[in-house]
Amino acid sequence: MAHPKHRTSKQRRNKRRTHIKATPATLASCSNCGATTKYHTVCPECGYYRGKLAIEKEVTA
């Protein structure tokens, strides 16, 4: 097992972590209704995914 010989300083630890960060989600427009959705997810507006109906949406009057 790895056993550190010296304590890692805050500066060294933070330098190592500079590249670890959250990236914004990739967005796409729905091919059916044109709403903005995340990639690889069903459209929340119309329920279509890759041109096919994935979930049935209730129509509100």
Side-chain angles (χ1 to χ4, degrees), residues 13-45:
R13 177 199 64 200
N14 293 339
K15 279 182 181 180
R16 184 180 66 243
R17 291 180 181 172
T18 57
H19 303 292
I20 303 170
K21 52 186 170 268
T23 57
T26 307
L27 300 176
S29 59
C30 176
S31 59
N32 188 51
C33 68
T36 304
T37 61
K38 286 192 341 183
Y39 263 27
H40 308 292
T41 56
V42 176
C43 177
E45 303 295 324

Side-chain angles (χ1 to χ4, degrees), residues 3-13 16:
H3 188 67
K5 197 166 194 121
H6 301 287
R7 180 176 180 166
T8 306
S9 67
K10 289 180 256 182
Q11 184 178 8
R12 184 175 288 274
R13 177 199 64 200
R16 184 180 66 243

Side-chain angles (χ1 to χ4, degrees), residues 42-56:
V42 176
C43 177
E45 303 295 324
C46 64
Y48 274 73
Y49 179 67
R50 296 183 68 182
K52 297 177 187 171
L53 184 63
I55 55 172
E56 198 71 36

